[in-house]
Amino acid sequence: MENLLFLSPAEGALSKNSLEALAATKQLADSLGATFSVGLWGDDAQASADGLAACGAAKFLAVTGPEFSQARYATDAAAAEALCRAAGATIVVGPAGSRWNRILAGVAHRLGGRADSHVTGLPVAGGLPTVARWFYRQRMEGILARTQRPWVLAVESGIAPAWSGAPGKAAVEAVTCTPAAARTKVTGIESPAEDQQTIRPDADLLFVSGAGWTKKQPDGQVKTGEAQKLILDFLRLSRSSLGSTKSLVDLHGEGQATLTFLSHMNQVGQTGSTPRHPKGLSTCCHGEEPHTVGWRFIGERRAISLDPNCGWARGKADVLYVADAFAVMDKVNALLAAKTAG
């Protein structure tokens, strides 16, 4: 009989990614006829556990203390290892965030188990647990099974609806953990202002800019400065997330005029990220195949292009607007500004 454990840092209300991983763990436990536990670590896990009180977990385990509040490999790995041993888990599931991804392999090694990342499904085949994951940038899907235990997994966002339930009072069992002396100390966090953020994983809309923004426009002029203002204004007004094609990101490295706020972190597609936003709007992308691969999990896909025969017009977008992206986005920004002012 498998014994499942869901693990997550306790940072107040759990993130959407964590709640999706919890839902996937619960579904797997139900399919196997097994039970699952919840393991949390952080400064104080009670509030996080109370928010999950109705999830159906057999028990709640927690490693707490001020030394576990900050993201640090030594303390995070020690806490996760202690929780896995206390639960006697054979399958450990965590959200593919920065903290879990960093310690995944190390925790599996300490437990004498095996680890798999980028998991996009937890199907049951013949009564046995398996994992689904994509290969070669979502062009191939593989189904894996392992006999080694514990099996430590990092599940990607979007694989299950986020768990939701009424908060309550969870009975949390404290787990003792004494990590090795930390050699690093977190003195603070520096981040750009909210209105300067261009990557927002939880945004409802992904706005993707293509190389066409930096090319000569119908009047024969290059309007990179105007393109920057239009895109940044739209991101600010819509609170959307910004993506880009490889060709546009590469222009910066080649010393050509490009959008200065873009980096490789914005790149989506075969050599970039695979976002999972409910909606997507592509502009000046010309239907590049590597780019469209990155849109596999976008719910509703729309595009703006002056070329009615581009790749998007051949079925890669749900709706194609044959129009000048500069004119369209200028009008959209005006409408959004008026709505915000009203």
Side-chain angles (χ1 to χ4, degrees), residues 236-257:
R236 175 177 55 83
L237 292 166
S238 66
R239 311 306 301 165
S240 57
S241 186
L242 177 64
S244 178
T245 58
K246 183 177 185 297
S247 56
L248 183 54
V249 172
D250 286 348
L251 289 178
H252 183 74
E254 296 168 1
Q256 300 184 40

Side-chain angles (χ1 to χ4, degrees), residues 23-317:
T25 305
K26 180 176 174 62
Q27 291 173 7
L28 177 60
D30 292 343
S31 299
L32 294 172
T35 60
F36 74 97
S37 302
V38 170
L40 303 168
W41 77 90
D43 188 16
D44 183 6
Q46 188 63 54
S48 298
D50 288 345
L52 308 177
C55 72
K59 57 183 176 181
F60 291 84
L61 305 171
V63 170
T64 58
E67 65 269 36
F68 300 104
S69 61
Q70 297 291 345
R72 184 190 297 109
Y73 180 88
T75 49
D76 283 356
E81 178 190 2
L83 290 167
C84 292
R85 293 190 186 281
T90 59
I91 298 178
V92 182
V93 180
S98 59
R99 294 184 74 169
W100 184 235
N101 283 345
R102 185 186 299 120
I103 65 174
L104 175 72
V107 172
H109 177 73
R110 295 182 185 189
L111 297 172
R114 295 294 185 272
D116 279 299
S117 59
H118 299 295
V119 174
T120 58
L122 297 171
V124 174
L128 298 175
T130 63
V131 301
R133 62 164 296 171
W134 294 98
F135 294 91
Y136 189 43
R137 292 295 177 183
Q138 295 75 52
R139 292 174 183 265
M140 298 181 291
E141 184 183 32
I143 305 294
L144 310 176
R146 291 188 184 274
T147 58
Q148 298 94 340
R149 297 291 186 269
W151 196 4
V152 187
L153 308 172
V155 298
E156 295 292 326
S157 62
I159 73 166
W163 180 86
S164 62
K169 189 66 175 179
V172 180
E173 300 178 24
V175 176
T176 302
C177 176
T178 305
R183 294 182 295 176
T184 57
K185 180 180 179 181
V186 179
T187 59
I189 298 176
E190 294 185 7
S191 61
E194 185 179 357
D195 59 357
Q196 294 179 328
Q197 294 277 10
T198 61
I199 300 175
R200 304 182 177 105
D202 293 329
D204 291 331
L205 175 68
L206 174 69
F207 180 86
V208 178
S209 55
W213 284 103
T214 63
K215 305 301 182 183
K216 286 185 177 181
Q217 301 307 310
D219 61 1
Q221 302 298 314
V222 175
K223 302 179 180 180
T224 306
E226 182 181 345
Q228 289 199 154
K229 184 178 186 306
L230 286 172
I231 294 172
L232 289 176
D233 285 349
F234 178 74
L235 295 176
R236 175 177 55 83
L237 292 166
S238 66
R239 311 306 301 165
S240 57
S241 186
L242 177 64
S244 178
T245 58
K246 183 177 185 297
S247 56
L248 183 54
V249 172
D250 286 348
L251 289 178
H252 183 74
E254 296 168 1
Q256 300 184 40
T258 185
L259 307 178
T260 58
F261 49 82
L262 284 176
S263 74
H264 70 281
M265 297 295 292
N266 295 102
Q267 186 175 321
V268 300
Q270 181 176 329
T271 53
S273 65
T274 305
R276 288 170 167 80
H277 299 270
K279 298 180 180 180
L281 176 62
S282 169
T283 56
C284 305
C285 292
H286 309 298
E288 297 150 300
E289 176 60 21
H291 165 58
T292 61
V293 170
W295 277 54
R296 184 182 296 273
F297 298 109
I298 298 296
E300 179 182 334
R301 297 170 289 188
R302 301 192 178 200
I304 303 172
S305 176
L306 282 170
D307 181 8
N309 294 314
C310 78
W312 288 104
R314 302 191 185 104
K316 294 187 176 70

